Amino acid sequence: MENTTFTMVETRDTKPTNISVKPYFDNSVSNMGLEQYGLSLFDGVTHTEQLACLEKNGVIQYITGLNEFAPEIKLIKNPEEREARIKEIRIAVADLERDLAANVLEIEDPQFWNKVKLLRPDNAEFWNKISLSCGNDPVFLDLKDPFDRIKLCAIEAGGFSLVARSYDEARSRAIPPKFYLDKAQETAGARTEYKKLRNKALAELQKLFDKNSTKLFYIAKAVDTASVNYKKHTPNDVIYDNMDKHINGEASEGNKERAAQGFLDAANMDMETLKIKAIVKDSIFFKYIINKADGYIYHTQSGAMLGRNTSDVIEYLKNPLNEDVLKDLNSKVEKLWNS
């Protein structure tokens, strides 16, 4: 192949675009207090990362999103879908070659990759110069800039470990990333998804407060880690306030989505299941039922094996054949609830 010498000159259009790399904040995870000030990094600090690559048997493959021979392309089982993705890659590579190297290519050419000058998968000299620097301010990607298009493709392929491919992916990662790719419409959809969930939970909370305080009591017992503090004489306003904080992620469950969804899941349970769940939770706390070394949960008084987890115990207690165990637990926790 012909070796091509080039000089990379990047220009930056200061006009904001709809696509950018932004810092990601997860208020449920401490970040040295920076999250309280809307910062991902200390002021003036940036993270710079080179494009990632994989090495197998001495062969290096850069994670660019612009390589039709990449493993993720080969793993596409549907032939039509795979061909469409390859065509999409070739169109992008041809456009970039034209803009960067004045190299005009035909995407149907059998010798397509032999004629590529800069964006060949093995062109380490080129790919080693692709990097991304991010800080507290958004980094806008201009699709008219060929290098920004390359970075966008690489981010979407997972080529930069610091940057999640979307706001939704950032939320779902076990270890939150420092940054995420923000496409205005997609991110807005992900953000409003939680707001809709929260508002739905708050509406359900208000309805229960107005019409079914008994069920609200059992829900608080089921979702709040401090459930043993709730008694039958606990004012409904106190329960309402605590559940409002729970739904907004301001209580024991810091993840706002899980908190709101957990409340809705409890609200959708029938009264029998919900009450039994509340009974089981307090019974575990007061050791009326206990976990033993064999991994099973047992009824302390009778020694009956109830199951491996809370769900198993609830199903066990719902069975009419086990009514004696349920009556025993119910009488004990009801006495506490009424004290």
Side-chain angles (χ1 to χ4, degrees), residues 76-95:
I76 299 176
K77 295 182 179 180
N78 188 316
E80 293 183 2
E81 185 180 343
R82 186 169 58 250
E83 286 300 320
R85 182 71 184 108
I86 290 173
K87 184 177 181 180
E88 183 182 344
I89 290 171
R90 288 197 175 193
I91 290 172
V93 169
D95 286 344

Side-chain angles (χ1 to χ4, degrees), residues 135 282 306 325:
D282 280 7
L306 310 180
V325 176

Side-chain angles (χ1 to χ4, degrees), residues 42-57:
F42 286 104
D43 193 30
V45 174
T46 59
H47 277 187
T48 300
E49 183 182 13
Q50 279 190 303
L51 184 65
C53 64
L54 302 172
E55 182 178 357
K56 186 175 181 181
N57 298 326

Side-chain angles (χ1 to χ4, degrees), residues 319-336:
N319 189 331
L321 296 176
N322 305 315
E323 186 178 4
D324 290 344
V325 176
L326 178 59
K327 281 184 176 180
D328 175 68
L329 296 176
N330 183 57
S331 64
K332 289 176 178 177
V333 296
E334 282 281 0
K335 185 177 180 180
L336 292 169

Side-chain angles (χ1 to χ4, degrees), residues 140-156:
F140 293 99
L141 300 179
D142 182 3
L143 298 186
K144 294 179 182 178
D145 183 334
F147 288 105
D148 278 358
R149 297 207 302 273
I150 290 172
K151 291 174 185 177
L152 176 60
C153 290
I155 292 170
E156 291 180 329

Side-chain angles (χ1 to χ4, degrees), residues 27-76:
N27 292 328
S28 65
V29 178
S30 176
N31 184 24
M32 297 178 288
L34 292 173
E35 69 281 356
Q36 299 176 20
Y37 303 97
L39 299 175
S40 180
L41 306 170
F42 286 104
D43 193 30
V45 174
T46 59
H47 277 187
T48 300
E49 183 182 13
Q50 279 190 303
L51 184 65
C53 64
L54 302 172
E55 182 178 357
K56 186 175 181 181
N57 298 326
V59 178
I60 294 176
Q61 284 195 343
Y62 292 85
I63 304 175
T64 66
L66 295 169
N67 179 9
E68 69 177 67
F69 309 108
E72 64 269 20
I73 304 301
K74 295 178 181 178
L75 289 173
I76 299 176

